[in-house]
Amino acid sequence: AQSVTQLGSHVSVSEGALVLLRCNYSSSVPPYLFWYVQYPNQGLQLLLKYTSAATLVKGINGFEAEFKKSETSFHLTKPSAHMSDAAEYFCAVSDGGATNKLIFGTGTLLAVQP
Amino acid sequence: DGGITQSPKYLFRKEGQNVTLSCEQNLNHDAMYWYRQDPGQGLRLIYYSQIVNDFQKGDIAEGYSVSREKKESFPLTVTSAQKNPTAFYLCASSIGAGYTFGSGTRLTVV
């Protein structure tokens, strides 16, 4: 079975500082991996996804993530945090198979301090 | 523009009442999903459907029912058997590795 673990339910950074949100996955098959962002009372917006192409994936709003198979990780980073980055972030995994279900982590709430 | 429409945005349910959440997509996606979101628990899969007239239970299907009579529509009914229905509900559709989410329905028991 697939699963996702997000370390740190709350992360706080200063504006301009590095953002690092951690995600580890478990999958018996090569996974598809995703990062989503959610603002209050809204749906999910895709930041980026890994589908077995380049291991360093660049997304929207300056975010990127690196797929590391040896560490079963897919951490999300952004060099310089902006106040508008304050939101909840979800890592998700899919097997891309017949069911194609997305399995989500429990989320990380990012606070950006001025 | 193509997308997913969820309605209503806010819904209030009385104890013992069934309510139906609407999800419509015009993306021509075969697969559709319903997720429930609670604080600190992420998104948990309620039901999913890969094709019309077929659907499968997800991880937390008890107290919920769905139908898939049309490709575009995947309504979710929250029955009186669901003892703690207050949550944010998200509908999604997919084709391959591309998923699209609706803007959600917040259900509150009053």
Side-chain angles (χ1 to χ4, degrees), chain B residues 26-63:
Chain B
N26 60 2
L27 299 164
N28 201 34
H29 288 174
D30 286 317
M32 297 187 74
Y33 313 82
W34 273 106
Y35 289 90
R36 170 178 170 143
Q37 185 177 11
D38 297 281
Q41 297 194 52
L43 283 79
R44 294 179 290 167
L45 184 63
I46 305 172
Y47 269 98
Y48 62 101
S49 168
Q50 300 297 300
I51 57 173
V52 175
N53 292 321
D54 189 40
F55 49 82
Q56 288 77 40
K57 293 181 179 180
D59 300 319
I60 56 165
E62 184 175 353

mmCIF file of all heavy atoms in Angstrom, chain B residues 26-63:
data_model
loop_
_atom_site.group_PDB
_atom_site.id
_atom_site.type_symbol
_atom_site.label_atom_id
_atom_site.label_comp_id
_atom_site.label_asym_id
_atom_site.label_seq_id
_atom_site.Cartn_x
_atom_site.Cartn_y
_atom_site.Cartn_z
ATOM 1 N N ASN B 26 -16.510 19.261 -16.644
ATOM 2 C CA ASN B 26 -16.621 19.331 -18.114
ATOM 3 C C ASN B 26 -15.252 19.130 -18.756
ATOM 4 O O ASN B 26 -14.962 19.710 -19.808
ATOM 5 C CB ASN B 26 -17.250 20.655 -18.532
ATOM 6 C CG ASN B 26 -16.441 21.858 -18.083
ATOM 7 O OD1 ASN B 26 -15.382 21.714 -17.480
ATOM 8 N ND2 ASN B 26 -16.934 23.042 -18.377
ATOM 9 N N LEU B 27 -14.435 18.308 -18.104
ATOM 10 C CA LEU B 27 -13.075 18.031 -18.574
ATOM 11 C C LEU B 27 -12.980 16.748 -19.377
ATOM 12 O O LEU B 27 -11.912 16.392 -19.852
ATOM 13 C CB LEU B 27 -12.145 17.935 -17.353
ATOM 14 C CG LEU B 27 -12.066 19.207 -16.506
ATOM 15 C CD1 LEU B 27 -11.454 18.910 -15.142
ATOM 16 C CD2 LEU B 27 -11.253 20.267 -17.244
ATOM 17 N N ASN B 28 -14.079 16.028 -19.458
ATOM 18 C CA ASN B 28 -14.114 14.736 -20.137
ATOM 19 C C ASN B 28 -13.207 13.708 -19.445
ATOM 20 O O ASN B 28 -12.687 12.794 -20.100
ATOM 21 C CB ASN B 28 -13.735 14.858 -21.616
ATOM 22 C CG ASN B 28 -14.242 13.671 -22.425
ATOM 23 O OD1 ASN B 28 -15.299 13.106 -22.149
ATOM 24 N ND2 ASN B 28 -13.484 13.281 -23.444
ATOM 25 N N HIS B 29 -13.028 13.859 -18.137
ATOM 26 C CA HIS B 29 -12.233 12.897 -17.383
ATOM 27 C C HIS B 29 -13.075 11.667 -17.060
ATOM 28 O O HIS B 29 -14.241 11.780 -16.691
ATOM 29 C CB HIS B 29 -11.736 13.519 -16.075
ATOM 30 C CG HIS B 29 -10.664 14.521 -16.270
ATOM 31 N ND1 HIS B 29 -10.158 15.281 -15.227
ATOM 32 C CD2 HIS B 29 -9.959 14.890 -17.379
ATOM 33 C CE1 HIS B 29 -9.202 16.062 -15.679
ATOM 34 N NE2 HIS B 29 -9.073 15.846 -16.988
ATOM 35 N N ASP B 30 -12.452 10.503 -17.144
ATOM 36 C CA ASP B 30 -13.173 9.283 -16.794
ATOM 37 C C ASP B 30 -13.288 9.091 -15.288
ATOM 38 O O ASP B 30 -14.299 8.625 -14.784
ATOM 39 C CB ASP B 30 -12.470 8.058 -17.396
ATOM 40 C CG ASP B 30 -12.694 7.959 -18.902
ATOM 41 O OD1 ASP B 30 -13.832 8.186 -19.343
ATOM 42 O OD2 ASP B 30 -11.725 7.652 -19.619
ATOM 43 N N ALA B 31 -12.214 9.416 -14.566
ATOM 44 C CA ALA B 31 -12.165 9.123 -13.131
ATOM 45 C C ALA B 31 -12.601 10.321 -12.295
ATOM 46 O O ALA B 31 -12.258 11.461 -12.605
ATOM 47 C CB ALA B 31 -10.752 8.716 -12.728
ATOM 48 N N MET B 32 -13.328 10.033 -11.232
ATOM 49 C CA MET B 32 -13.750 11.061 -10.293
ATOM 50 C C MET B 32 -13.625 10.538 -8.872
ATOM 51 O O MET B 32 -13.703 9.324 -8.644
ATOM 52 C CB MET B 32 -15.186 11.523 -10.587
ATOM 53 C CG MET B 32 -15.335 12.173 -11.947
ATOM 54 S SD MET B 32 -16.952 12.900 -12.248
ATOM 55 C CE MET B 32 -16.867 14.393 -11.219
ATOM 56 N N TYR B 33 -13.429 11.465 -7.935
ATOM 57 C CA TYR B 33 -13.122 11.093 -6.550
ATOM 58 C C TYR B 33 -13.839 12.034 -5.591
ATOM 59 O O TYR B 33 -14.039 13.214 -5.899
ATOM 60 C CB TYR B 33 -11.608 11.219 -6.290
ATOM 61 C CG TYR B 33 -10.735 10.591 -7.343
ATOM 62 C CD1 TYR B 33 -10.423 11.259 -8.520
ATOM 63 C CD2 TYR B 33 -10.191 9.318 -7.149
ATOM 64 C CE1 TYR B 33 -9.619 10.687 -9.477
ATOM 65 C CE2 TYR B 33 -9.380 8.739 -8.110
ATOM 66 C CZ TYR B 33 -9.098 9.434 -9.275
ATOM 67 O OH TYR B 33 -8.288 8.859 -10.226
ATOM 68 N N TRP B 34 -14.105 11.540 -4.389
ATOM 69 C CA TRP B 34 -14.574 12.368 -3.286
ATOM 70 C C TRP B 34 -13.618 12.183 -2.108
ATOM 71 O O TRP B 34 -13.305 11.056 -1.711
ATOM 72 C CB TRP B 34 -15.979 11.986 -2.844
ATOM 73 C CG TRP B 34 -17.054 12.673 -3.614
ATOM 74 C CD1 TRP B 34 -17.862 12.143 -4.564
ATOM 75 C CD2 TRP B 34 -17.470 14.038 -3.466
ATOM 76 N NE1 TRP B 34 -18.736 13.078 -5.038
ATOM 77 C CE2 TRP B 34 -18.520 14.255 -4.372
ATOM 78 C CE3 TRP B 34 -17.047 15.101 -2.656
ATOM 79 C CZ2 TRP B 34 -19.168 15.491 -4.500
ATOM 80 C CZ3 TRP B 34 -17.680 16.321 -2.775
ATOM 81 C CH2 TRP B 34 -18.731 16.509 -3.684
ATOM 82 N N TYR B 35 -13.184 13.340 -1.559
ATOM 83 C CA TYR B 35 -12.322 13.347 -0.390
ATOM 84 C C TYR B 35 -12.992 14.127 0.739
ATOM 85 O O TYR B 35 -13.718 15.091 0.505
ATOM 86 C CB TYR B 35 -10.978 14.017 -0.697
ATOM 87 C CG TYR B 35 -10.078 13.215 -1.609
ATOM 88 C CD1 TYR B 35 -10.130 13.361 -2.988
ATOM 89 C CD2 TYR B 35 -9.144 12.324 -1.077
ATOM 90 C CE1 TYR B 35 -9.303 12.627 -3.820
ATOM 91 C CE2 TYR B 35 -8.305 11.595 -1.893
ATOM 92 C CZ TYR B 35 -8.386 11.753 -3.268
ATOM 93 O OH TYR B 35 -7.556 11.030 -4.086
ATOM 94 N N ARG B 36 -12.673 13.711 1.947
ATOM 95 C CA ARG B 36 -13.098 14.438 3.126
ATOM 96 C C ARG B 36 -11.854 15.014 3.795
ATOM 97 O O ARG B 36 -10.824 14.335 3.929
ATOM 98 C CB ARG B 36 -13.806 13.497 4.098
ATOM 99 C CG ARG B 36 -14.081 14.108 5.462
ATOM 100 C CD ARG B 36 -14.824 13.181 6.374
ATOM 101 N NE ARG B 36 -14.841 13.742 7.739
ATOM 102 C CZ ARG B 36 -15.880 13.637 8.555
ATOM 103 N NH1 ARG B 36 -16.974 12.968 8.191
ATOM 104 N NH2 ARG B 36 -15.828 14.178 9.763
ATOM 105 N N GLN B 37 -11.947 16.283 4.211
ATOM 106 C CA GLN B 37 -10.818 16.948 4.853
ATOM 107 C C GLN B 37 -11.198 17.397 6.251
ATOM 108 O O GLN B 37 -12.183 18.110 6.442
ATOM 109 C CB GLN B 37 -10.352 18.152 4.035
ATOM 110 C CG GLN B 37 -9.103 18.806 4.593
ATOM 111 C CD GLN B 37 -8.608 19.936 3.743
ATOM 112 O OE1 GLN B 37 -9.281 20.400 2.825
ATOM 113 N NE2 GLN B 37 -7.402 20.393 4.017
ATOM 114 N N ASP B 38 -10.438 16.949 7.232
ATOM 115 C CA ASP B 38 -10.579 17.371 8.623
ATOM 116 C C ASP B 38 -9.241 17.952 9.077
ATOM 117 O O ASP B 38 -8.185 17.491 8.642
ATOM 118 C CB ASP B 38 -10.951 16.187 9.514
ATOM 119 C CG ASP B 38 -12.287 15.585 9.162
ATOM 120 O OD1 ASP B 38 -13.299 16.176 9.566
ATOM 121 O OD2 ASP B 38 -12.324 14.544 8.473
ATOM 122 N N PRO B 39 -9.272 18.929 9.955
ATOM 123 C CA PRO B 39 -8.012 19.548 10.420
ATOM 124 C C PRO B 39 -7.044 18.508 10.960
ATOM 125 O O PRO B 39 -7.398 17.674 11.790
ATOM 126 C CB PRO B 39 -8.494 20.498 11.526
ATOM 127 C CG PRO B 39 -9.900 20.807 11.177
ATOM 128 C CD PRO B 39 -10.448 19.551 10.570
ATOM 129 N N GLY B 40 -5.806 18.571 10.502
ATOM 130 C CA GLY B 40 -4.764 17.675 10.995
ATOM 131 C C GLY B 40 -4.801 16.265 10.440
ATOM 132 O O GLY B 40 -3.952 15.446 10.793
ATOM 133 N N GLN B 41 -5.771 15.976 9.560
ATOM 134 C CA GLN B 41 -5.875 14.599 9.032
ATOM 135 C C GLN B 41 -5.672 14.527 7.534
ATOM 136 O O GLN B 41 -5.777 13.453 6.946
ATOM 137 C CB GLN B 41 -7.235 14.008 9.400
ATOM 138 C CG GLN B 41 -7.450 13.882 10.900
ATOM 139 C CD GLN B 41 -8.643 13.006 11.228
ATOM 140 O OE1 GLN B 41 -8.756 11.883 10.746
ATOM 141 N NE2 GLN B 41 -9.533 13.515 12.072
ATOM 142 N N GLY B 42 -5.398 15.627 6.913
ATOM 143 C CA GLY B 42 -5.217 15.590 5.470
ATOM 144 C C GLY B 42 -6.522 15.295 4.752
ATOM 145 O O GLY B 42 -7.608 15.549 5.270
ATOM 146 N N LEU B 43 -6.398 14.747 3.570
ATOM 147 C CA LEU B 43 -7.572 14.391 2.771
ATOM 148 C C LEU B 43 -7.702 12.870 2.744
ATOM 149 O O LEU B 43 -6.745 12.170 2.418
ATOM 150 C CB LEU B 43 -7.434 14.906 1.339
ATOM 151 C CG LEU B 43 -7.685 16.387 1.118
ATOM 152 C CD1 LEU B 43 -6.491 17.221 1.532
ATOM 153 C CD2 LEU B 43 -8.019 16.648 -0.348
ATOM 154 N N ARG B 44 -8.880 12.405 3.071
ATOM 155 C CA ARG B 44 -9.122 10.965 3.080
ATOM 156 C C ARG B 44 -10.157 10.622 2.014
ATOM 157 O O ARG B 44 -11.165 11.300 1.866
ATOM 158 C CB ARG B 44 -9.593 10.520 4.467
ATOM 159 C CG ARG B 44 -8.532 10.673 5.554
ATOM 160 C CD ARG B 44 -9.064 10.251 6.907
ATOM 161 N NE ARG B 44 -10.061 11.190 7.409
ATOM 162 C CZ ARG B 44 -10.865 10.943 8.441
ATOM 163 N NH1 ARG B 44 -10.807 9.768 9.072
ATOM 164 N NH2 ARG B 44 -11.732 11.857 8.852
ATOM 165 N N LEU B 45 -9.915 9.521 1.307
ATOM 166 C CA LEU B 45 -10.738 9.134 0.162
ATOM 167 C C LEU B 45 -12.023 8.467 0.625
ATOM 168 O O LEU B 45 -11.986 7.490 1.384
ATOM 169 C CB LEU B 45 -9.943 8.198 -0.740
ATOM 170 C CG LEU B 45 -10.596 7.764 -2.040
ATOM 171 C CD1 LEU B 45 -10.836 8.966 -2.955
ATOM 172 C CD2 LEU B 45 -9.721 6.728 -2.734
ATOM 173 N N ILE B 46 -13.156 8.969 0.139
ATOM 174 C CA ILE B 46 -14.459 8.416 0.501
ATOM 175 C C ILE B 46 -14.902 7.388 -0.553
ATOM 176 O O ILE B 46 -15.171 6.232 -0.225
ATOM 177 C CB ILE B 46 -15.522 9.521 0.618
ATOM 178 C CG1 ILE B 46 -15.085 10.608 1.598
ATOM 179 C CG2 ILE B 46 -16.855 8.928 1.047
ATOM 180 C CD1 ILE B 46 -16.008 11.819 1.611
ATOM 181 N N TYR B 47 -15.010 7.812 -1.794
ATOM 182 C CA TYR B 47 -15.403 6.965 -2.914
ATOM 183 C C TYR B 47 -14.660 7.444 -4.159
ATOM 184 O O TYR B 47 -14.255 8.594 -4.252
ATOM 185 C CB TYR B 47 -16.913 7.080 -3.188
ATOM 186 C CG TYR B 47 -17.796 6.081 -2.473
ATOM 187 C CD1 TYR B 47 -18.451 6.435 -1.302
ATOM 188 C CD2 TYR B 47 -17.989 4.806 -2.983
ATOM 189 C CE1 TYR B 47 -19.269 5.538 -0.632
ATOM 190 C CE2 TYR B 47 -18.819 3.889 -2.325
ATOM 191 C CZ TYR B 47 -19.449 4.264 -1.151
ATOM 192 O OH TYR B 47 -20.266 3.368 -0.505
ATOM 193 N N TYR B 48 -14.515 6.532 -5.107
ATOM 194 C CA TYR B 48 -13.985 6.914 -6.399
ATOM 195 C C TYR B 48 -14.662 6.097 -7.488
ATOM 196 O O TYR B 48 -15.205 5.015 -7.239
ATOM 197 C CB TYR B 48 -12.461 6.784 -6.450
ATOM 198 C CG TYR B 48 -11.925 5.392 -6.253
ATOM 199 C CD1 TYR B 48 -11.501 4.623 -7.333
ATOM 200 C CD2 TYR B 48 -11.782 4.852 -4.975
ATOM 201 C CE1 TYR B 48 -10.978 3.352 -7.153
ATOM 202 C CE2 TYR B 48 -11.267 3.591 -4.791
ATOM 203 C CZ TYR B 48 -10.861 2.842 -5.871
ATOM 204 O OH TYR B 48 -10.342 1.574 -5.691
ATOM 205 N N SER B 49 -14.590 6.654 -8.689
ATOM 206 C CA SER B 49 -15.237 6.024 -9.840
ATOM 207 C C SER B 49 -14.311 6.147 -11.037
ATOM 208 O O SER B 49 -13.832 7.233 -11.348
ATOM 209 C CB SER B 49 -16.568 6.721 -10.129
ATOM 210 O OG SER B 49 -17.089 6.328 -11.376
ATOM 211 N N GLN B 50 -14.061 5.020 -11.681
ATOM 212 C CA GLN B 50 -13.182 5.023 -12.856
ATOM 213 C C GLN B 50 -13.964 5.166 -14.163
ATOM 214 O O GLN B 50 -13.442 5.662 -15.168
ATOM 215 C CB GLN B 50 -12.369 3.729 -12.906
ATOM 216 C CG GLN B 50 -11.487 3.515 -11.680
ATOM 217 C CD GLN B 50 -10.438 4.585 -11.528
ATOM 218 O OE1 GLN B 50 -9.598 4.779 -12.391
ATOM 219 N NE2 GLN B 50 -10.477 5.316 -10.424
ATOM 220 N N ILE B 51 -15.201 4.694 -14.165
ATOM 221 C CA ILE B 51 -16.037 4.780 -15.356
ATOM 222 C C ILE B 51 -17.490 4.955 -14.926
ATOM 223 O O ILE B 51 -17.844 4.733 -13.767
ATOM 224 C CB ILE B 51 -15.919 3.517 -16.240
ATOM 225 C CG1 ILE B 51 -16.277 2.262 -15.426
ATOM 226 C CG2 ILE B 51 -14.529 3.393 -16.836
ATOM 227 C CD1 ILE B 51 -16.344 1.010 -16.274
ATOM 228 N N VAL B 52 -18.313 5.317 -15.896
ATOM 229 C CA VAL B 52 -19.739 5.488 -15.630
ATOM 230 C C VAL B 52 -20.341 4.183 -15.132
ATOM 231 O O VAL B 52 -19.956 3.100 -15.576
ATOM 232 C CB VAL B 52 -20.453 5.981 -16.903
ATOM 233 C CG1 VAL B 52 -21.960 6.051 -16.689
ATOM 234 C CG2 VAL B 52 -19.920 7.349 -17.309
ATOM 235 N N ASN B 53 -21.268 4.304 -14.199
ATOM 236 C CA ASN B 53 -22.004 3.173 -13.621
ATOM 237 C C ASN B 53 -21.128 2.219 -12.820
ATOM 238 O O ASN B 53 -21.507 1.054 -12.606
ATOM 239 C CB ASN B 53 -22.762 2.391 -14.708
ATOM 240 C CG ASN B 53 -23.893 3.203 -15.307
ATOM 241 O OD1 ASN B 53 -24.592 3.928 -14.600
ATOM 242 N ND2 ASN B 53 -24.067 3.085 -16.612
ATOM 243 N N ASP B 54 -19.986 2.701 -12.384
ATOM 244 C CA ASP B 54 -19.112 1.884 -11.543
ATOM 245 C C ASP B 54 -18.410 2.785 -10.541
ATOM 246 O O ASP B 54 -17.956 3.878 -10.898
ATOM 247 C CB ASP B 54 -18.081 1.142 -12.391
ATOM 248 C CG ASP B 54 -17.310 0.133 -11.557
ATOM 249 O OD1 ASP B 54 -17.933 -0.537 -10.700
ATOM 250 O OD2 ASP B 54 -16.096 0.002 -11.766
ATOM 251 N N PHE B 55 -18.317 2.333 -9.284
ATOM 252 C CA PHE B 55 -17.606 3.095 -8.272
ATOM 253 C C PHE B 55 -17.147 2.137 -7.172
ATOM 254 O O PHE B 55 -17.684 1.035 -7.026
ATOM 255 C CB PHE B 55 -18.473 4.215 -7.688
ATOM 256 C CG PHE B 55 -19.853 3.800 -7.253
ATOM 257 C CD1 PHE B 55 -20.082 3.196 -6.021
ATOM 258 C CD2 PHE B 55 -20.942 4.016 -8.096
ATOM 259 C CE1 PHE B 55 -21.354 2.831 -5.630
ATOM 260 C CE2 PHE B 55 -22.219 3.654 -7.714
ATOM 261 C CZ PHE B 55 -22.417 3.053 -6.485
ATOM 262 N N GLN B 56 -16.128 2.578 -6.427
ATOM 263 C CA GLN B 56 -15.552 1.751 -5.378
ATOM 264 C C GLN B 56 -15.433 2.550 -4.082
ATOM 265 O O GLN B 56 -15.253 3.771 -4.111
ATOM 266 C CB GLN B 56 -14.140 1.264 -5.759
ATOM 267 C CG GLN B 56 -14.124 0.197 -6.843
ATOM 268 C CD GLN B 56 -14.358 0.779 -8.217
ATOM 269 O OE1 GLN B 56 -13.846 1.838 -8.536
ATOM 270 N NE2 GLN B 56 -15.144 0.083 -9.018
ATOM 271 N N LYS B 57 -15.496 1.842 -2.978
ATOM 272 C CA LYS B 57 -15.312 2.472 -1.679
ATOM 273 C C LYS B 57 -13.853 2.860 -1.479
ATOM 274 O O LYS B 57 -12.942 2.132 -1.884
ATOM 275 C CB LYS B 57 -15.730 1.520 -0.562
ATOM 276 C CG LYS B 57 -17.220 1.221 -0.532
ATOM 277 C CD LYS B 57 -17.559 0.297 0.618
ATOM 278 C CE LYS B 57 -19.050 0.010 0.659
ATOM 279 N NZ LYS B 57 -19.412 -0.900 1.774
ATOM 280 N N GLY B 58 -13.677 4.002 -0.837
ATOM 281 C CA GLY B 58 -12.358 4.418 -0.418
ATOM 282 C C GLY B 58 -12.108 4.004 1.021
ATOM 283 O O GLY B 58 -12.649 3.001 1.491
ATOM 284 N N ASP B 59 -11.322 4.779 1.721
ATOM 285 C CA ASP B 59 -10.924 4.415 3.074
ATOM 286 C C ASP B 59 -11.981 4.701 4.136
ATOM 287 O O ASP B 59 -11.972 4.096 5.206
ATOM 288 C CB ASP B 59 -9.636 5.163 3.437
ATOM 289 C CG ASP B 59 -8.508 4.821 2.493
ATOM 290 O OD1 ASP B 59 -8.373 3.627 2.143
ATOM 291 O OD2 ASP B 59 -7.772 5.738 2.078
ATOM 292 N N ILE B 60 -12.907 5.636 3.848
ATOM 293 C CA ILE B 60 -13.883 6.048 4.874
ATOM 294 C C ILE B 60 -15.285 6.132 4.283
ATOM 295 O O ILE B 60 -15.985 7.114 4.452
ATOM 296 C CB ILE B 60 -13.479 7.388 5.524
ATOM 297 C CG1 ILE B 60 -13.298 8.482 4.462
ATOM 298 C CG2 ILE B 60 -12.199 7.246 6.340
ATOM 299 C CD1 ILE B 60 -13.254 9.881 5.041
ATOM 300 N N ALA B 61 -15.738 5.083 3.615
ATOM 301 C CA ALA B 61 -17.011 5.102 2.884
ATOM 302 C C ALA B 61 -18.248 4.982 3.787
ATOM 303 O O ALA B 61 -19.361 5.302 3.348
ATOM 304 C CB ALA B 61 -17.023 3.987 1.851
ATOM 305 N N GLU B 62 -18.098 4.528 5.005
ATOM 306 C CA GLU B 62 -19.264 4.292 5.852
ATOM 307 C C GLU B 62 -20.049 5.574 6.105
ATOM 308 O O GLU B 62 -19.491 6.595 6.504
ATOM 309 C CB GLU B 62 -18.832 3.690 7.194
ATOM 310 C CG GLU B 62 -20.006 3.323 8.085
ATOM 311 C CD GLU B 62 -19.585 2.620 9.364
ATOM 312 O OE1 GLU B 62 -18.389 2.296 9.492
ATOM 313 O OE2 GLU B 62 -20.450 2.414 10.227
ATOM 314 N N GLY B 63 -21.363 5.504 5.854
ATOM 315 C CA GLY B 63 -22.211 6.668 6.059
ATOM 316 C C GLY B 63 -22.347 7.559 4.835
ATOM 317 O O GLY B 63 -22.997 8.604 4.895
#
